[in-house]
Amino acid sequence: MDRNPSPPCSDAEEEEGDAVGNTVYSKHWLFSVLTRLIEVIAPAEPDPAGSPEGARTELDEEMENDICKVWDMSMDEDVALFLQEFNAPDIFMGVFAKSKCPRLTEICVGILGNMACFQDICMSISKDENLGQVLLQRLCDSDSPTLLETSRLLLTCLSQPEVANVWVERIRENPSVYDCVCFIMSSSTNVELLVKVGEVVDKLFDLDEELMLNWIKNGTCRSVGPSGDDSPEELPDFKIVPCILEAAKQVRSDNPEGLDVYMHILQLLTTVDEGIQAIVQAPDGGKDTWNLLYDLVCQELCQPDDPPIIVQEQKTLLASILSVLSAMFASQTEQEYTRMRKSKLCSFLYLFDMPLIGSLIRILQYMEGCGKTAVDNSKESEQEETGRTDVNEEDFHLKILKDICCELLSNMLQELTKENTLEGLHQGHLNEQTCSCAFQNLLPLYFASVESFLEVLREADQTLADNLEKRFPSLKVQT
């Protein structure tokens, strides 16, 4: 079912100059709807039923249809400018303050979101401190459609370079935003809302490292959050990482783009030491995070029955996931080295799962296939400038994925024991073909890791080690 009815047209012949800008929409009609909206939130006469002003929880059908038409029309810049001139944002402020109707609040936030798509209007909305604070308070709403429209509006504003810093600073100074966002991520089952809130968080962390650090360290104070009645409700003591994981699990099967967003948020966390520690020093030692990412790589993405080209479609998602796994592995390894002086009897054995090493090698194999396809395509479209640009861009993203994949693989190979290696040989994850692919991609940059792995491999399978030395003479010379 369509959310909004089709917008009305004005009869230009009825009243000359009634059209809004270059549109066919009627100024008079828009004016009348906004006037009726004012009457809804501030009626001239008391409700005969004795209910307080603005206490109506539902809109009558005619008013809802008309205000929805305004919502559709507000996507037009001329209409948006007319609404701005008519002080529609101030009217909506009254709606937010007085209305008890969730549908009306949702529509008004949605109209503001459409208006904010235009730079000048976005700047005006963003510089209004009162309106800005009221909009942030909408994140504590209990109505999912309103939360969705509020998140869209915030993302629109954060995507405008001219005003992004205004919103970042406003959010940084408003602790309740953290709690409300965490509450949504940890408790909502609305996938569309989770994706949009994730995009907001991703944008915030990308724009401002200080805010990200504050949110990583947050969770020690409690704030007022959503409530079903007029009394405030105290929220749980949220931590950012479990909330992100819970949201990722919700969107995982229904929205690949949303999963990409949440994996990128985790990747951004690992760009600072505090973020890595927040992941690996959780009560479970980071197992929940590791298990989710491991399951995605080993059970869902880039599987053996997929065509190699799948790595092109999944390259950004894989890069984010592998980046987090790599940061976790390096951090856990460093901690174990500190505690156990490089003993091979590590307590983080859950990291050493051979299917993950097999998946890393398979990703490298698929990328080799994609590389050959890209070369063939570039030859066929040698005269097409756009085609060459696309190929170069794909190569760039694949290179990032390859670099991350090689770093994690080299770190894992360097830590393998004879027992791990025998397990990999038995399961089929390690053989001459897969080891050759790994060596081909890791050498010469990760020579020390390959050399270390080869020494262990000799203990597990001398014949395979000898064959690999023959394929890669540089190893034989050095060893």
Side-chain angles (χ1 to χ4, degrees), residues 431-472:
N431 53 47
E432 187 167 343
Q433 181 184 15
T434 58
C435 288
S436 295
C437 175
F439 287 13
Q440 182 69 37
N441 284 278
L442 294 177
L443 293 172
L445 183 61
Y446 297 101
F447 181 88
S449 296
V450 174
E451 185 180 42
S452 173
F453 169 65
L454 195 57
E455 290 178 5
V456 175
L457 186 59
R458 284 195 192 92
E459 301 176 24
D461 190 330
Q462 181 67 52
T463 302
L464 177 55
D466 290 342
N467 290 340
L468 289 169
E469 282 186 333
K470 292 176 183 178
R471 281 200 175 197
F472 299 90

Side-chain angles (χ1 to χ4, degrees), residues 16-39:
E16 186 178 352
D18 185 49
V20 177
N22 293 319
T23 74
V24 294
Y25 305 134
S26 165
K27 289 180 182 178
H28 177 76
W29 183 87
L30 271 170
F31 181 85
S32 67
V33 174
L34 292 174
T35 301
R36 285 159 53 206
L37 180 58
I38 295 172
E39 293 172 354

Side-chain angles (χ1 to χ4, degrees), residues 110 119 133 136 169 208 210 218 236 243 266 321 343 346 370 379 381 399 406 420 447 459:
Q119 183 177 338
Q133 293 297 335
L136 290 184
E169 183 65 26
D208 193 77
E210 181 185 345
N218 214 328
C243 296
L266 284 176
I321 293 173
S343 168
C346 299
C370 286
K379 288 179 180 178
S381 59
K399 183 181 183 305
C406 286
N420 299 140
F447 181 88
E459 301 176 24

Side-chain angles (χ1 to χ4, degrees), residues 9-18 26 28:
C9 295
S10 69
D11 189 343
E13 294 181 358
E14 283 187 11
E15 187 174 345
E16 186 178 352
D18 185 49
S26 165
H28 177 76

Side-chain angles (χ1 to χ4, degrees), residues 4-159:
N4 303 328
S6 299
C9 295
S10 69
D11 189 343
E13 294 181 358
E14 283 187 11
E15 187 174 345
E16 186 178 352
D18 185 49
V20 177
N22 293 319
T23 74
V24 294
Y25 305 134
S26 165
K27 289 180 182 178
H28 177 76
W29 183 87
L30 271 170
F31 181 85
S32 67
V33 174
L34 292 174
T35 301
R36 285 159 53 206
L37 180 58
I38 295 172
E39 293 172 354
V40 167
I41 59 175
E45 298 179 4
D47 191 309
S51 60
E53 286 188 1
R56 275 193 285 176
T57 58
E58 293 185 6
L59 283 172
D60 64 68
E61 185 176 353
E62 181 182 1
M63 185 63 196
E64 180 172 352
N65 286 338
D66 285 346
I67 196 68
C68 280
K69 291 174 184 177
V70 177
W71 191 357
D72 273 345
M73 294 164 64
S74 63
M75 291 187 289
D76 186 288
E77 185 172 9
D78 285 335
V79 174
L81 288 169
F82 176 83
L83 292 172
Q84 176 77 0
E85 292 171 4
F86 193 74
N87 295 323
D90 290 339
I91 297 174
F92 299 152
M93 280 268 287
V95 171
F96 302 148
K98 298 181 179 181
S99 174
K100 302 293 183 180
C101 175
R103 176 62 169 154
L104 180 58
T105 302
E106 172 205 357
I107 295 170
C108 290
V109 177
I111 294 172
L112 277 175
N114 283 349
M115 294 171 65
C117 292
F118 306 105
Q119 183 177 338
D120 290 344
I121 299 177
C122 185
M123 292 181 67
S124 176
I125 291 173
S126 300
K127 290 178 180 179
D128 187 328
E129 186 62 29
N130 290 332
L131 179 58
Q133 293 297 335
V134 168
L135 289 172
L136 290 184
Q137 290 171 12
R138 293 299 97 210
L139 287 173
C140 294
D141 207 296
S142 59
D143 180 60
S144 290
T146 298
L147 290 171
L148 177 59
E149 293 308 320
T150 303
S151 301
R152 283 176 171 160
L153 170 58
L154 290 177
L155 185 62
T156 298
C157 294
L158 289 168
S159 301

